[in-house]
Amino acid sequence: MTDSKYFTTTKKGEIFELKNELNSDKKEKKKEAVKKVIASMTVGKDVSALFPDVVNCMQTDNVELKKLVYLYLMNYAKSQPDLAIMAVNTFVKDCEDPNPLIRALAVRTMGCIRVEKITEYLCDPLRRCMKDEDPYVRKTAAVCVAKLHDMNPTLVKDQGFVELLNDLLSDANPMVVANAVAALTEMNDQQTVIEVNSQMVNKLLTALNECTEWGQVFILDALAGYTPRDERETQNICERISPRLAHANAAVVLSTVKVLMKLIDMMPADSDFITQLTKKLAPPMVTLLSAEPEIQYVALRNINLIVQKRPDILKQEMKVFFVKYNDPIYVKMEKLDIMIRLAQQNNISQVLSELKEYATEVDVDFVRKSVRAIGRCAIKVETSSERCVQTLLELIQTKVNYVVQEAVVVIKDIFRKYPNRYESIISALCENLDTLDEPEARASMIWIIGEYAERIDNADELLESFVEGFHDENTQVQLQLLTAVVKLFLKRPGVAQALVQRVLSLATQDSDNPDLRDRGFIYWRLLSADPAAAKNVVLTEKPLISEETDLLEPSLLEQLVCHIGTLASVYHKPPSAFIDPAKAPLRQINPIPTAKFGSSLLDTSSATNASRNGSAPTVIPSQDQVIADLLSLDLNAPATSANTGGYGASMSGTTSMGGLDDLLGLGGDSMPAAPAMASSNNPFDSLAGLGMPSAVPAAQQPASIGGLAEIFGSGGFGASSGYTHPKEMWLEASKAMGMQVEGTFVRRNGRISMEITITNRAMQAISEFALQFNKNSFGLIPVEQMDQSPILPNQSKNFTIVCDTSGPVQVTTPLTNLQVAIKNNINAFYFATQVPLIVYFREDGQMEKREFLEEWKSIPEQNEQQFSLQNTQNMNADAICTKLQQNNIHTVARRQVDNQQLLYHSVKYTNNLNVLSELKVNSQNTAITLSLKSKNLMAIANMNEVFQSLLN
């Protein structure tokens, strides 16, 4: 008979019946009732009302019943903490039971019940279980310490559990060692409690061979954080862990590869040992590709990183990455990527034959990527470029629409790599012009026509066919078409004069797209002012494109190699990109520096320095992202030119400035007026009068007030009248022998002050005050002590203590957490508080627009977070900027887009770390979108709450 009967019931008053059954004298009936309760709990019914009755069932010798009751307790103890205390005595008693299974079960359950009131009762039983004679109990207790540390780290340190865990590393049972390592590693993720040293490494290596597979993973992950003392020790560790490469479990294999990859970096590049080791690394990775498709995918994502780091490891294994007919599409795509990375002169023939076959497959996405791969081969291996181009032409002849479009895109890249070599095939491309309907393919074809306009007799007709539907085209196509027409005009002005005037007019007057409009205005001014300069800019020699455009940025690759076998290696993103540091603190794993021995990656000093510097991996943004970022800021200081109509005149009433910097609002010298000309045969001259208003005379132009004064309408801001957080109760009189402490932190005149009110509720005077802060995220310390004069009973006294941020730094969670010790003539007392984040904002955090733009582009996309705020006071953009400026959130730029105001701000912390923000303020509703970027994600934590509090 199955247990399904417990999940089906139609009786009324079920809770009442269960209550009676739970209190039955018959053991069997009681067990059946508990099973029904667990079944109801499993399907989502609320059976918390039965808590006292279920707890009473704990007093039993039946292991099965005890397990069920413990399961119920773990689920409901958090919602019934007061009732959970009832079970404590039974837990303590069970921890001394003769049966080791019950002892382990009791300590495991106590660790899983996340109730503060129970933790103080857990310490003694847990300490006994860590020294238990049975290894099963000891390994369970080791994991319980990690759970206790998650709830109360201070308690774990004070009670000496870290030392006990360290002792378990020498345990005779390998599973106990593995669990102790797992517990210590998890605790180290939050804060450093122990450092891996050479003695510990020897213990771990000894236990490695006898552990279960997951125990081996824990030990290998711990070894990844150790830096050997010298090359001999490095080789010794490699030799002792390399047999794990033959393990059946893929996780063990990848963890071993991770450790070996890090250790290889530490040995001299010409070492023979590295050659031997790389030969051992290839077979286990190849073996992983014969597993299930899901494991293959994870293995391939990791292999992709390894091949980028050390392509020599798998250079002889090209055939294993050839696609099989029954591979899932996600496996095919990854194999294709790795094939390109491994392609070289001695295997390019095989690769091209495979790719040509793939291009005739039925899966459209796979075919597209195969065609692109042929182009990448041509760019990577120069000797194969002729054959690749021929293969692409054959594919174009198939007339399969999506194949032709991809071929056009990659041929454009080949032209960039090998100029003046394969232009003879342009005529074949032009034959397929009408079939191109995808934006990227159309943009590529337009680029080819514009780049080689002097060789294509009917280039003007071809481009004109695109101009007919200019406003229906994708932005990418419009931008490329604008540039191509300007190129044609510069190369063959006689045939393209009317066309360029038409396109410039469409781009600047009829378009709502700011990107397109800005580029149109730039070209217009260049052509009107100085045709020779326009030729130098637009027709300049293009740099050759790189061989591998999709390689990960080196610092990011180093970081991901340290995370082989984890989600980071599958996503190809650092953990900070997909884990919220506020909810799950991230351990910083830094790549081991080359040939540097004798220190541990878990060294607290290095962690502190990293947190101070706010270092983060730099990711090179894509070209599209750079353009988008460049044009998303209001960096446009309007300009006019007295001598021209056109673009200059359209910006009438403003100061005249010159050059590209001027168009971006970045300053520059005034553009000299061109001499007036009565008539001219120069076709460029006609661009000065395309039907746009004439220029405003210089006398009517206002004086230049450039820079930030132009944006804000004045020369700066007055004295700060920032937000002050109200005083909070920090220490109640009942907990400090009659001394009541209230206080807050404020920032005035560039200094942080702690404002305290001490009230004496005792029967005697208190005096001899002293104050001290624990290490904190910003190094905040008091720089002066409190007034020593006594406070009489029932009297209060105010103190203002000046602080600065020159103290020792230790990252806390949250960042604003501060532990304070305050002493008087009676005793010392301790409390914790949250320092308002706003007091750490510096007055000199105002960034220049160019500096803001460069930093915004340099920060990786994964370091950007968005929040939704409410404008509860319905403040307009001016009021918001003023309010933020008063609180050291400095306005850099503003711009209006439709009904939205875009506001850009900068904040500088006292540790010189910058946070950049963008506010989208909609005039039609109270919702505000806040985007925050910083080189260190930790700096963004809780920043949205600061903005919301100021808006309130």
Side-chain angles (χ1 to χ4, degrees):
M1 187 174 184
T2 66
D3 287 343
S4 60
K5 62 179 180 177
Y6 302 117
F7 292 86
T8 56
T9 178
T10 55
K11 294 179 182 178
K12 294 181 180 179
E14 187 176 7
I15 297 291
F16 180 76
E17 290 182 11
L18 286 172
K19 194 179 186 76
N20 288 336
E21 290 179 18
L22 288 169
N23 292 309
S24 171
D25 295 332
K26 296 180 180 178
K27 289 184 179 180
E28 198 58 37
K29 195 170 185 180
K30 190 180 286 188
K31 188 166 84 172
E32 291 292 305
V34 173
K35 285 187 177 182
K36 289 179 184 177
V37 171
I38 297 297
S40 300
M41 183 180 79
T42 305
V43 296
K45 292 181 183 176
D46 184 10
V47 285
S48 57
L50 297 171
F51 197 95
D53 305 287
V54 176
V55 169
N56 287 336
C57 297
M58 286 178 70
Q59 304 291 341
T60 177
D61 295 331
N62 188 306
V63 177
E64 183 184 5
L65 178 56
K66 199 176 281 286
K67 282 184 179 180
L68 291 170
V69 175
Y70 281 174
L71 183 62
Y72 177 90
L73 273 172
M74 283 189 279
N75 195 52
Y76 282 114
K78 198 166 186 179
S79 60
Q80 307 268 359
D82 295 327
L83 292 174
I85 302 277
M86 296 165 49
V88 166
N89 287 335
T90 308
F91 280 131
V92 174
K93 182 182 175 184
D94 284 350
C95 285
E96 298 176 358
D97 194 276
N99 187 340
L101 290 176
I102 292 180
R103 295 201 299 273
L105 182 62
V107 75
R108 177 192 292 132
T109 308
M110 286 184 79
C112 291
I113 296 177
R114 304 181 65 81
V115 176
E116 288 286 343
K117 294 179 180 179
I118 288 184
T119 54
E120 56 190 270
Y121 299 101
L122 174 61
C123 294
D124 289 336
L126 181 57
R127 191 177 289 104
R128 284 197 300 271
C129 288
M130 291 185 77
K131 298 176 181 178
D132 197 281
E133 60 184 15
D134 191 279
Y136 181 73
V137 180
R138 295 199 300 276
K139 82 180 186 70
T140 306
V143 175
C144 188
V145 173
K147 293 178 179 176
L148 181 60
H149 183 271
D150 189 43
M151 286 187 287
N152 194 336
T154 308
L155 182 67
V156 170
K157 287 184 180 178
D158 294 345
Q159 294 288 334
F161 286 121
V162 176
E163 290 73 17
L164 288 172
L165 271 181
N166 200 11
D167 293 340
L168 289 183
L169 294 175
S170 306
D171 199 280
N173 187 290
M175 271 315 300
V176 176
V177 176
N179 279 22
V181 170
L184 286 169
T185 303
E186 187 170 329
M187 290 157 64
N188 267 341
D189 285 350
Q190 298 178 31
Q191 59 186 93
T192 303
V193 295
I194 194 168
E195 292 185 7
V196 181
N197 52 40
S198 55
Q199 290 81 11
M200 188 188 297
V201 167
N202 286 328
K203 296 175 188 175
L204 299 182
L205 289 171
T206 302
L208 184 63
N209 296 330
E210 302 174 36
C211 282
T212 64
E213 49 200 20
W214 296 113
Q216 292 180 33
V217 170
F218 288 133
I219 290 175
L220 288 166
D221 285 346
L223 290 172
Y226 174 68
T227 306
R229 294 188 302 269
D230 50 38
E231 186 180 351
R232 182 177 178 183
E233 187 182 11
T234 306
Q235 293 186 8
N236 180 43
I237 295 173
C238 290
E239 287 171 351
R240 293 182 68 176
I241 67 171
S242 54
R244 301 298 100 209
L245 291 170
H247 202 282
N249 187 296
V252 176
V253 174
L254 287 176
S255 293
T256 308
V257 170
K258 171 174 65 179
V259 180
L260 292 174
M261 287 290 289
K262 293 184 73 177
L263 294 176
I264 285 174
D265 274 350
M266 302 193 59
M267 290 183 273
D270 56 353
S271 171
D272 292 336
F273 189 81
I274 291 182
T275 309
Q276 298 170 18
L277 205 55
T278 51
K279 288 179 181 177
K280 293 180 183 177
L281 283 172
M285 288 190 277
V286 169
T287 304
L288 291 177
L289 299 182
S290 59
E292 297 83 359
E294 293 79 10
I295 293 178
Q296 281 188 54
Y297 178 74
V298 173
L300 287 166
R301 293 293 282 176
N302 282 274
I303 289 170
N304 200 323
L305 295 175
I306 293 164
V307 167
Q308 289 186 55
K309 176 76 175 169
R310 292 192 170 274
D312 290 348
I313 293 177
L314 289 162
K315 66 180 179 182
Q316 304 299 332
E317 306 292 342
M318 173 65 83
K319 286 189 177 180
V320 300
F321 298 106
F322 287 173
V323 172
K324 299 175 184 174
Y325 75 95
N326 58 347
D327 279 339
I329 183 64
Y330 53 87
V331 171
K332 287 181 178 180
M333 294 295 203
E334 285 306 312
K335 284 185 173 180
L336 207 51
D337 262 343
I338 295 169
M339 282 173 63
I340 304 306
R341 299 202 192 286
L342 293 176
Q344 49 191 350
Q345 195 164 345
N346 62 355
N347 60 21
I348 193 68
S349 298
Q350 280 183 308
V351 173
L352 282 176
S353 299
E354 283 289 312
L355 292 176
K356 192 175 179 182
E357 288 296 319
Y358 301 160
T360 60
E361 290 278 343
V362 292
D363 191 296
V364 176
D365 290 335
F366 181 55
V367 171
R368 286 178 181 276
K369 191 158 186 175
S370 300
V371 175
R372 295 226 175 184
I374 294 172
R376 285 174 62 186
C377 283
I379 292 166
K380 185 175 181 182
V381 185
E382 185 172 354
T383 54
S384 72
S385 58
E386 182 79 41
R387 185 174 171 186
C388 290
V389 170
Q390 196 58 43
T391 303
L392 289 169
L393 281 175
E394 290 173 16
L395 292 172
I396 288 174
Q397 298 306 319
T398 63
K399 302 295 182 183
V400 178
N401 186 262
Y402 54 86
V403 173
V404 172
Q405 308 212 56
E406 290 298 325
V408 170
V409 173
V410 298
I411 285 173
K412 180 204 75 172
D413 291 337
I414 293 173
F415 284 172
R416 284 287 307 276
K417 177 69 175 177
Y418 308 111
N420 303 316
R421 191 183 296 185
Y422 299 113
E423 284 71 18
S424 58
I425 67 171
I426 292 176
S427 57
L429 300 179
C430 292
E431 292 172 6
N432 296 277
L433 202 60
D434 296 336
T435 64
L436 305 179
D437 53 17
E438 294 175 9
E440 192 176 5
R442 290 173 73 83
S444 298
M445 192 67 226
I446 290 168
W447 181 89
I448 292 170
I449 295 171
E451 189 68 16
Y452 300 101
E454 70 279 11
R455 305 186 187 189
I456 304 173
D457 295 336
N458 61 339
D460 55 327
E461 295 174 10
L462 296 176
L463 291 177
E464 195 164 359
S465 66
F466 287 102
V467 174
E468 296 298 330
F470 186 82
H471 288 304
D472 298 326
E473 296 285 3
N474 181 278
T475 301
Q476 180 184 6
V477 179
Q478 290 177 333
L479 289 166
Q480 199 60 259
L481 185 56
L482 174 60
T483 301
V485 169
V486 172
K487 286 180 182 177
L488 174 64
F489 178 66
L490 290 169
K491 292 177 179 181
R492 298 164 62 186
V495 301
Q497 183 172 325
L499 183 61
V500 76
Q501 291 181 5
R502 181 181 173 191
V503 171
L504 285 173
S505 178
L506 287 170
T508 56
Q509 296 178 356
D510 301 340
S511 174
D512 294 330
N513 187 311
D515 295 354
L516 183 64
R517 207 166 50 236
D518 288 351
R519 187 181 290 192
F521 281 137
I522 290 172
Y523 284 148
W524 203 326
R525 166 171 265 189
L526 278 171
L527 293 172
S528 302
D530 190 347
K535 280 191 174 184
N536 290 336
V537 171
V538 180
L539 301 181
T540 186
E541 188 176 343
K542 312 293 185 296
L544 300 181
I545 60 174
S546 60
E547 295 179 0
E548 295 282 359
T549 55
D550 61 338
L551 287 176
L552 292 172
E553 201 272 334
S555 62
L556 176 60
L557 179 61
E558 291 289 342
Q559 190 178 2
L560 293 178
V561 168
C562 296
H563 291 288
I564 285 176
T566 68
L567 270 180
S569 67
V570 178
Y571 292 156
H572 285 189
K573 293 179 180 179
S576 58
F578 55 89
I579 294 178
D580 183 357
K583 296 179 181 176
L586 296 173
R587 178 176 45 157
Q588 295 295 325
I589 301 182
N590 300 317
I592 296 179
T594 305
K596 181 179 178 183
F597 300 99
S599 63
S600 168
L601 286 179
L602 299 177
D603 189 331
T604 53
S605 62
S606 62
T608 301
N609 291 334
S611 68
R612 276 188 185 174
N613 297 335
S615 58
T618 304
V619 179
I620 299 172
S622 66
Q623 186 64 27
D624 291 343
Q625 184 63 36
V626 171
I627 292 170
D629 285 348
L630 182 67
L631 298 176
S632 67
L633 296 180
D634 182 19
L635 301 180
N636 184 32
T640 62
S641 177
N643 66 303
T644 60
Y647 168 67
S650 72
M651 310 297 286
S652 62
T654 55
T655 311
S656 174
M657 298 181 183
L660 185 59
D661 278 354
D662 180 48
L663 289 173
L664 298 175
L666 300 176
D669 299 327
S670 297
M671 179 183 288
M677 300 178 68
S679 63
S680 172
N681 294 324
N682 189 338
F684 293 102
D685 295 340
S686 61
L687 288 170
L690 295 180
M692 301 188 73
S694 61
V696 176
Q700 297 179 19
Q701 298 176 5
S704 172
I705 56 169
L708 289 174
E710 269 190 282
I711 298 175
F712 300 118
S714 66
F717 293 92
S720 171
S721 55
Y723 171 74
T724 301
H725 199 274
K727 285 186 178 179
E728 297 177 341
M729 179 66 71
W730 282 346
L731 200 57
E732 295 178 0
S734 59
K735 296 180 179 178
M737 297 184 180
M739 181 175 68
Q740 176 181 300
V741 182
E742 299 170 274
T744 188
F745 286 87
V746 298
R747 187 177 186 90
R748 291 196 188 96
N749 301 320
R751 303 202 73 175
I752 301 172
S753 297
M754 183 184 193
E755 297 191 343
I756 303 179
T757 299
I758 296 182
T759 304
N760 185 0
R761 305 288 188 196
M763 301 300 291
Q764 61 181 16
I766 53 177
S767 60
E768 300 176 17
F769 301 104
L771 191 69
Q772 188 174 342
F773 298 166
N774 198 359
K775 293 179 184 177
N776 53 82
S777 301
F778 291 91
L780 188 68
I781 56 170
V783 294
E784 57 185 33
Q785 278 302 330
M786 303 168 67
D787 183 4
Q788 301 297 311
S789 57
I791 303 176
L792 300 177
N794 295 318
Q795 289 190 358
S796 298
K797 187 172 183 179
N798 294 322
F799 300 84
T800 299
I801 297 102
V802 177
C803 307
D804 68 20
T805 53
S806 60
V809 174
Q810 179 172 309
V811 179
T812 59
T813 305
L815 283 176
T816 52
N817 198 42
L818 178 68
Q819 295 174 339
V820 182
I822 185 167
K823 173 186 169 295
N824 60 22
N825 59 323
I826 301 172
N827 205 341
F829 307 97
Y830 306 90
F831 63 88
T833 185
Q834 303 287 323
V835 180
L837 195 61
I838 206 165
V839 306
Y840 294 117
F841 297 173
R842 288 173 48 165
E843 286 74 13
D844 60 349
Q846 176 78 57
M847 298 179 74
E848 293 295 330
K849 287 180 280 186
R850 184 187 294 276
E851 181 188 3
F852 182 96
L853 177 61
E854 289 174 354
E855 181 147 349
W856 185 280
K857 290 191 293 184
S858 71
I859 298 172
E861 289 181 30
Q862 58 264 28
N863 278 30
E864 180 174 0
Q865 292 186 0
Q866 284 198 347
F867 305 91
S868 182
L869 308 179
Q870 288 300 316
N871 187 2
T872 54
Q873 303 296 320
N874 284 321
M875 290 192 288
N876 61 22
D878 292 333
I880 291 173
C881 286
T882 303
K883 185 79 169 178
L884 296 178
Q885 185 77 24
Q886 290 170 351
N887 291 277
N888 295 331
I889 301 176
H890 306 278
T891 309
V892 178
R894 293 169 54 175
R895 74 180 284 214
Q896 176 83 31
V897 178
D898 299 329
N899 294 323
Q900 277 191 336
Q901 280 268 7
L902 303 184
L903 313 177
Y904 297 90
H905 296 86
S906 65
V907 172
K908 180 185 281 188
Y909 282 113
T910 53
N911 59 6
N912 292 319
L913 193 62
N914 290 322
V915 177
L916 313 184
S917 74
E918 177 193 63
L919 279 172
K920 294 180 181 176
V921 183
N922 196 321
S923 59
Q924 297 181 345
N925 58 53
T926 61
I928 292 179
T929 302
L930 170 65
S931 299
L932 295 171
K933 291 185 82 170
S934 178
K935 290 182 178 179
N936 192 326
L937 267 179
M938 294 288 284
I940 297 176
N942 305 114
M943 182 70 82
N944 60 308
E945 297 170 10
V946 173
F947 276 81
Q948 185 62 72
S949 65
L950 294 177
L951 291 175
N952 291 340

